[in-house]
Amino acid sequence: MTEVRNELVKKRYAAERRFKFYGAAALTLTALFLAALLVDVIIKGIPAFHETSVEIDVKVDPADVDPANLPGGNYDKMIKEAFRAEFPEVTGRAEKKALTGLLSTGGADSLRSMVTADPSIIGKTVTVPVLLGDDADLFLKGLLTEQKTVPGKATLHIARLEGEEGFVLTGDTTGEAAEKQLGLTPGDIVRFKGGAVRVTGVQNGYLKADPVLPPDPSVSMLDAGQWDVVSFSVPEANRRINDNQALWLDQLKSEGRVKNSFSWRFFEAGDSREPELAGIRGALIGSLLTVLVALSLALPLGIAAAVYLEEFAPKNKWTDLIEVNINNLAAVPSIIFGLLGLAVFLNFFGLPRSAPLVGGLVLALLVLPTIIIASRAALKAVPPSITEAALGVGASKQQAVFQHVLPLALPGIMTGTILGLARAFGETAPLLMIGMVAFIADIPQGFTSAATVLPVQVFLWSDLPEMAFKAKTAAAIIVLLVVLFALNAVAIYLRKRFERRW
Amino acid sequence: MNAPVHHQTLVTPAHPKALASGQFKVTARDVDVYYGEKQAIKDLSIDIPDRSVSAFIGPSGCGKSTFLRCINRMNDTIPTCRVTGDIKVDGNDIYDPNIDVVQLRAKVGMVFQKPNPFPKSIYENVAYGPRIHGLATNKTELDEIVEKSLRKAGLWEEVKDRLQHPGTGLSGGQQQRLCIARAIAVNPEVILMDEPCSALDPIATARIEELIDELRQNYCIVIVTHSMQQAARVSQLTAFFHLGTLVEYGDTDEMFTAPQEKRTQDYITGRFG
Ligand SMILES: Nc1ncnc2c1ncn2[C@@H]1O[C@H](COP(=O)(O)OP(=O)(O)O)[C@@H](O)[C@H]1O
Ligand SMILES: [Mg+2]
C-alpha cells in the first residue's frame, strides 16, 4: 500500500520536474531567438547612426556665388576643385573622377549653408566638412574590406620597365628571391612617399608591379621604414572602392582630416537615392500623421461603440451578432483593410493616394475592433457595485456611466488603445495597397501630401542593392523598435499605475 | 380608490404609532416579481410605517433583496426582471410611467451588502449625490451637507481631518458608514439596507446597528438581514419571507416570542434556514 503510494509520489515529482524543465527550455529558446535578432539588428544598424566627412580647405570664389542668390552658388564646383587641389599628382580624367567620386553628391550642402549663414566668408578660404559618399563612408568604417598596413622590413629598389607602364621591385641581394627579401605577395600594394604600386607577379627573382598612384620618377630606392605594405582582404574587383580611392582615403585619414560624427542627418532628412543622404524624417512624420488620423478617429469611435454596447445596448441577437462580428473583424488580415481602403477611400471617394489621411483612415478601421474589445473589457472590469452605488444615490444611468464607470475604465481603455496604436504604427501591408510605398524624398507637409511610414521605409530600403542601405534598414528598424517599446512601456506604466483591485 | 384588499398573507403591522396615524410610508399590494420565467416574489402586500426600522428576514433565496430592490426600482437594471402590482411611496405609485426614477432613488436611498464607496475622496463620496441633485448652490453649502451627513452617519470625528483621502482606504465598517452618509446626503426619506453588516466584524456591526437606531428618528428604514439577533436588536417590525411570499409582518417582539404562523415559528427556532 505505502509502496504504491511512494511510487505515485515519485512519479508526480518526476512529472513536475519535467514540466519545469520544458518551461525553462522554451523560455530560454525564445529569449535566445529574441536576443539574436536584437543583437543582429543593432550591430548592423549602429554604423548608420554615424556619418563620415572630410575636412577640405575651400576658397569661396566670389565668381561662383551671386550675393543676391546665395543658395544658388556653384558650391559643388568649388568643393570639387578644392578637393582635387589636395591631390595635385592626380591628373588623368578617370582618376580625377574617381577622386571626386569619393565625395557625396550632397557634399556641397555644408558649404552652401555656411555661406548662406555668413556671406562674409565669400572670397576667403574656409575649412569645410564635406560629407563622403556611401562607399567611402563604408570603407572608412571598415565595412567594405579589412585593411592591413605593415611597414616595409628591407631596402626596396624600384625601377621603371623600359617602354612599359610597369615597374620591377627588387631587394638588396641579387640571387635571393625578391618576394622573400621584401615579404611581398602578388596583390599587395607598396606605398611610399610620392606613389604606390601594386605587385602583380613574380619573374626571375624580381617582382613585377603596376602603378596605383603613379610614383615620383626620382624615387629608385627606399630604406626599410620608408615604405608600407598595404593589403586588403577583399580583392579590388569585388569592392566598390578601388585601390586608388582606398589609398587616398587612407591618406586623408592618416592626416587626421576624416571626421566621424553622429548622423543628425539620419533624423533630419527625408528619403534619398544616395544612402549617405537618406534619413527617416519623412517616414517618421508620415507615421506620426497617419497614426494621428487613426487615433483621432478610432479612439472616440471605439470608446463610444464600447460604452454603448457594454452599458446601454439591449442584449438581443442583433447585439450578439455585432459582438461576434467585431471579434471577427479583429482577426481579419490587415491587407484586406488595405484593399478596402483602396476601393472605398481612393476609388470611390477619390481621396489622394499615398496620403497619411487615407493611411490613417485604413489604420483606424484596422485598430477599431481592437480598441472596442479592449474598452469593453475595461468597462466590464469595473464592478457593478460602482454603478449600483451611483444609481442608488439617484444618478441616472448615463451619469453613472460617464461619471464613474468610464473614468475607472479609462486606464484600461488607454492601455488597449496604445497597444492598438503600436500595432497600427508597425503595420505595413494595408498601406502598400493605398500607395504609401512610393519613393518620397520630401518630408510630408500635411495630411494629404504624399508620405510613407517607418515600417514601409524599412521595407523600401531593405530592397535596395547598396550596402549602405542595409545599415540604414537596420537603423530604421532600431528606431521603429524603440518607438514600439516606448509605446508598450507607456501602456505597461498606465496599467501598473492605475491598476485597481476591487 | 377602493379600500385596500388585504390578502391573507398580509398581517397588519402592530406598530402603535403608525397605526395611530394611519400613515404608511411604503405600501405594496399584490406584488409579483419575475426574473424571466421564474417568479421570485408572489403576491406580496405590505404596509411599512415611517420613522421605524423594519427588518426582512427569511432563508436565503426567498426574495428579500428582490423585494427591497423593488422599492427604489433598482431592479430596473436587471433586464429580465419584471414587476407587477402596486408599490407606493407616500401614496405615489413608483412604477407609474410618469415617475422619474432618479428622483425616486434620491428619495429612497440604498445601502448595499458590500461597502461600495466610489474610488474617490471621502468628501467626493458624500458630495456626489447633493451635487447631481443640485442640493447645494455653493461650496460652503456643500461642505455643510457633507459634514452634516458624516455626522449623522457617526463618521465625522474619524474622518474630518482626512476628507480628501480616498474613501476606499477606510476600514470596512467605516466604508459602510460612509455609504450611509452618502445615502443620507441626498435627503432621502426611506433608506433601504441590504444586509449592510454581512461583510463586517462584530464591532463594526455594533456601530452600524447603533447608527440605524439613531437614524430611525428621521427615516423609514428597511433592512434585510440574515441574522435574527440583528433583527431583534434593531427593528421594531419584522417581516418573515419564505419562498417568495411574505409569511408574516408584525411587531418584532411579538414575532420572536409569539409568531402567528407555524413557518415563522419553525424558522426562528432554527428548524429550517
Ligand atoms: N438577477 C437575477 N436574475 C435571475 N434570478 C435572480 C436574480 N436575482 C435573484 N434571483 C433569484 O430570485 C430569488 C430571490 O433572490 P434574492 O431576492 O436575492 O433572495 P434573498 O435576498 O432573500 O437571499 C432567488 O431564487 C434568486 O435565485
Ligand atoms: Mg439577498
Side-chain angles (χ1 to χ4, degrees):
Chain A
M1 177 66 194
T2 44
E3 226 135 83
V4 172
R5 193 172 294 162
N6 278 342
E7 200 53 32
L8 280 176
V9 168
K10 243 187 238 160
K11 259 192 179 160
R12 199 181 71 223
Y13 280 1
E16 278 166 11
R17 260 199 308 276
R18 220 164 33 236
F19 176 74
K20 259 189 208 160
F21 170 77
Y22 291 151
L27 198 66
T28 319
L29 205 64
T30 318
L32 277 179
F33 278 135
L34 196 66
L37 180 81
L38 282 181
V39 168
D40 180 60
V41 166
I42 287 172
I43 287 178
K44 281 192 183 138
I46 290 287
F49 290 109
H50 292 271
E51 62 185 16
T52 325
S53 47
V54 56
E55 287 182 341
I56 304 175
D57 294 328
V58 185
K59 180 163 187 307
V60 187
D61 192 345
D64 282 329
V65 194
D66 174 7
N69 178 17
L70 289 174
N74 198 350
Y75 303 103
D76 211 40
K77 182 176 151 223
M78 282 185 248
I79 294 277
K80 279 189 175 146
E81 277 172 2
F83 192 49
R84 281 195 208 109
E86 306 264 350
F87 296 90
E89 69 279 8
V90 179
T91 49
R93 255 182 70 88
E95 280 80 34
K96 276 185 180 174
K97 209 162 171 239
L99 180 64
T100 49
L102 290 175
L103 301 177
S104 165
T105 50
D109 291 350
S110 49
L111 179 60
R112 178 178 296 118
S113 49
M114 273 170 87
V115 174
T116 316
D118 179 14
S120 70
I121 60 173
I122 294 173
K124 291 184 196 153
T125 301
V126 286
T127 307
V128 188
V130 178
L131 188 69
L132 286 168
D134 55 326
D135 296 322
D137 178 73
L138 286 176
F139 172 76
L140 286 167
K141 283 172 181 164
L143 296 172
L144 277 190
T145 168
E146 275 169 45
Q147 179 186 347
K148 219 165 70 191
T149 306
V150 282
K153 294 191 295 279
T155 311
L156 172 94
H157 296 269
I158 179 163
R160 195 176 287 268
L161 279 174
E162 289 297 328
E164 273 186 55
E165 272 276 282
F167 296 82
V168 289
L169 310 178
T170 48
D172 258 345
T173 11
T174 41
E176 200 187 333
E179 74 247 45
K180 286 239 178 71
Q181 288 179 54
L182 300 169
L184 292 170
T185 48
D188 285 350
I189 291 168
V190 174
R191 184 176 62 180
F192 46 88
K193 197 164 162 43
V197 295
R198 188 191 306 105
V199 178
T200 52
V202 191
Q203 202 173 26
N204 307 333
Y206 57 84
L207 292 161
K208 286 182 77 174
D210 280 344
V212 177
L213 305 174
D216 188 343
S218 63
V219 177
S220 63
M221 192 191 89
L222 295 156
D223 290 332
Q226 281 185 322
W227 55 283
D228 287 332
V229 185
V230 182
S231 55
F232 297 107
S233 60
V234 178
E236 187 177 25
N238 293 351
R239 63 182 129 87
R240 301 190 30 105
I241 287 280
N242 63 28
D243 285 344
N244 301 28
Q245 292 175 312
L247 292 177
W248 291 325
L249 288 171
D250 203 45
Q251 182 187 332
L252 288 169
K253 192 171 160 190
S254 59
E255 287 167 10
R257 292 166 58 191
V258 171
K259 299 285 176 222
N260 190 327
S261 55
F262 184 76
S263 178
W264 290 109
R265 191 187 309 271
F266 184 64
F267 295 98
E268 287 166 357
D271 197 5
S272 167
R273 294 288 184 214
E274 303 298 331
E276 75 276 10
L277 297 176
I280 53 166
R281 177 66 160 267
L284 260 182
I285 303 268
S287 273
L288 206 73
L289 293 174
T290 308
V291 167
L292 209 65
V293 172
L295 178 68
S296 50
L297 265 171
L299 188 60
L301 277 180
I303 293 183
V307 167
Y308 178 72
L309 282 175
E310 195 57 41
E311 303 287 343
F312 295 102
K315 302 276 172 280
N316 56 30
K317 61 174 193 272
W318 293 113
T319 42
D320 282 351
L321 190 72
I322 289 173
E323 177 162 1
V324 168
N325 278 309
I326 286 172
N327 291 336
N328 282 340
L329 224 48
V332 167
S334 56
I335 191 130
I336 311 281
F337 286 97
L339 282 167
L340 182 83
L342 177 65
V344 175
F345 300 128
L346 297 189
N347 295 344
F348 186 75
F349 286 110
L351 293 174
R353 292 183 73 81
S354 314
L357 175 67
V358 181
L361 286 170
V362 170
L363 292 186
L365 289 179
L366 183 78
V367 297
L368 200 53
T370 319
I371 292 184
I372 294 178
I373 292 169
S375 303
R376 288 190 68 177
L379 288 166
K380 214 174 251 164
V382 177
S385 68
I386 295 295
T387 318
E388 285 194 330
L391 295 178
V393 292
S396 66
K397 175 79 182 167
Q398 195 176 337
Q399 282 170 329
V401 169
F402 285 97
Q403 293 171 356
H404 294 282
V405 180
L406 193 54
L408 290 173
L410 221 46
I413 293 177
M414 284 302 142
T415 308
T417 305
I418 291 170
L419 294 180
L421 278 194
R423 176 168 175 214
F425 195 87
E427 200 55 70
T428 322
L431 302 180
L432 303 184
M433 302 308 300
I434 54 153
M436 289 188 88
V437 70
F439 168 78
I440 292 148
D442 294 327
I443 289 164
Q445 297 302 317
F447 291 107
T448 50
S449 46
T452 187
V453 295
L454 204 46
V456 175
Q457 187 73 78
V458 168
F459 170 73
L460 285 169
W461 280 350
S462 70
D463 222 24
L464 295 175
E466 284 92 340
M467 241 183 96
F469 273 122
K470 300 272 178 281
K472 294 267 167 183
T473 307
I477 291 174
I478 292 175
V479 174
L480 185 63
L481 287 180
V482 166
V483 173
L484 292 179
F485 287 165
L487 283 175
N488 280 313
V490 172
I492 290 169
Y493 170 79
L494 276 178
R495 190 154 51 202
K496 286 259 179 289
R497 171 77 177 68
F498 294 102
E499 193 172 49
R500 231 178 246 285
R501 293 188 203 290
W502 305 94
Chain B
M1 194 190 159
N2 299 340
V5 186
H6 282 213
H7 195 268
Q8 59 171 25
T9 54
L10 174 69
V11 180
T12 311
H15 194 250
K17 246 198 263 171
L19 281 182
S21 68
Q23 268 292 309
F24 296 105
K25 192 71 184 173
V26 179
T27 58
R29 288 292 173 275
D30 309 327
V31 174
D32 292 302
V33 182
Y34 304 85
Y35 289 113
E37 295 294 297
K38 183 170 176 279
Q39 187 163 14
I41 296 284
K42 292 184 197 101
D43 220 4
L44 185 148
S45 299
I46 194 167
D47 292 316
I48 301 173
D50 202 1
R51 290 166 211 278
S52 65
V53 178
S54 296
F56 288 1
I57 60 169
S60 73
C62 66
K64 307 181 293 290
S65 302
T66 300
F67 179 64
L68 191 75
R69 292 163 61 91
C70 288
I71 303 175
N72 68 345
R73 288 183 56 179
M74 212 57 178
N75 280 339
D76 290 12
T77 58
I78 301 167
T80 57
C81 183
R82 198 158 50 81
V83 181
T84 62
D86 243 14
I87 301 178
K88 290 182 176 160
V89 173
D90 282 339
N92 302 317
D93 182 0
I94 59 168
Y95 281 89
D96 188 318
N98 295 325
I99 210 111
D100 180 26
V101 188
V102 165
Q103 296 297 322
L104 171 72
R105 293 200 188 124
K107 188 169 170 177
V108 183
M110 188 154 193
V111 176
F112 298 85
Q113 187 163 352
K114 214 176 127 245
N116 57 351
F118 299 128
K120 296 183 175 186
S121 70
I122 294 169
Y123 183 93
E124 278 306 313
N125 261 284
V126 183
Y128 178 69
R131 199 174 277 148
I132 58 173
H133 293 292
L135 298 184
T137 49
N138 56 40
K139 179 87 171 73
T140 337
E141 278 182 39
L142 194 60
D143 288 350
E144 270 167 27
I145 294 178
V146 170
E147 178 175 345
K148 209 176 76 197
S149 309
L150 284 169
R151 274 191 198 285
K152 278 193 193 167
L155 194 59
W156 175 252
E157 292 303 324
E158 290 158 64
V159 301
K160 64 180 177 199
D161 301 324
R162 44 172 175 155
L163 289 175
Q164 296 311 322
H165 289 216
T168 42
L170 298 172
S171 74
Q174 288 173 323
Q175 287 190 15
Q176 197 60 298
R177 276 181 281 146
L178 178 61
C179 292
I180 294 174
R182 181 176 65 188
I184 293 172
V186 291
N187 290 329
E189 293 168 23
V190 182
I191 302 177
L192 310 175
M193 299 186 177
D194 193 349
E195 305 195 26
C197 303
S198 64
L200 305 182
D201 61 75
I203 294 172
T205 301
R207 285 282 283 141
I208 303 272
E209 286 177 5
E210 264 170 50
L211 176 60
I212 292 171
D213 204 47
E214 284 164 26
L215 293 174
R216 168 162 69 93
Q217 314 300 326
N218 300 307
Y219 303 95
C220 166
I221 296 175
V222 183
I223 173 172
V224 170
T225 172
H226 59 258
S227 147
M228 280 176 282
Q229 289 85 340
Q230 185 170 59
R233 282 193 300 264
V234 301
S235 70
Q236 289 75 54
L237 294 152
T238 298
F240 172 59
F241 284 67
H242 188 228
L243 297 175
T245 55
L246 174 63
V247 176
E248 185 170 349
Y249 179 48
D251 191 85
T252 300
D253 296 336
E254 273 173 37
M255 178 87 94
F256 283 101
T257 49
Q260 304 195 347
E261 290 270 335
K262 172 97 172 47
R263 279 180 291 172
T264 320
Q265 171 90 48
D266 288 347
Y267 180 68
I268 57 181
T269 53
R271 221 157 291 169
F272 66 87

